[in-house]
Amino acid sequence: MLRYAPTSLLTLALFALAGCAETSRPPLPSEPSFYKDLASNDARVDAGAAREMISLYRSNHGLGPVAVDPGLEAAARRQVTEMARADKLSHEVRGNLSTRLDGAGFTKSAAVENVSAGYHTLAEAFSGWRQSKPHNENMLNPRMRRMGIATAYAPGSKYKVYWALVMTD
């Protein structure tokens, strides 16, 4: 029986070292930003992830990519902020899109807008837009080259999260 004691001790030592190795692993990557719950005051939609998602979708339909435009992001932010403040889902809460963009000094010959509410993640909003014929047509409009996207959180609203995607040529 003593002959096997050193082997048993060696086995226990190897298990102990293996346990130490487990704790030294780097942490797993965090959840992708398109699954981030945006129902909080400090949450912001990841415009880069939205651009990648929309551009890949467009590419799958033979269309060119879109680029994030900071001015269009600001326009989208103003729209969702006003919708959240008014607790109203509407393209017209601040006037029509063309008038709003002209007032902000945008040079464009075409523009589209998707507004929605109630989606808590970018993945949910994108999926909802794909399933809605007019929203899907906007994302797949071949003239669109630039985009801005924003969300606003309204805790007292039945929707909680408002969305605006503005795209121009």
Side-chain angles (χ1 to χ4, degrees), residues 45-82:
V45 64
D46 182 341
R51 178 195 50 77
E52 288 176 25
M53 191 178 285
I54 294 168
S55 290
L56 178 60
Y57 184 58
R58 289 171 57 85
S59 174
N60 289 341
H61 288 84
L63 300 170
V66 292
V68 173
D69 181 297
L72 292 175
E73 278 189 294
R77 194 173 314 106
R78 286 189 295 273
Q79 180 67 12
V80 294
T81 300
E82 188 60 29

Side-chain angles (χ1 to χ4, degrees), residues 7 16 20-21 33 42 56 58 73 75 87 99 116 122 129 144 149 153 155 160 162:
T7 304
C20 291
S33 64
D42 60 344
L56 178 60
R58 289 171 57 85
E73 278 189 294
D87 194 13
T99 301
S116 58
L122 174 57
W129 291 336
M144 299 304 110
I149 189 168
Y153 176 57
K160 304 294 185 230
Y162 287 85

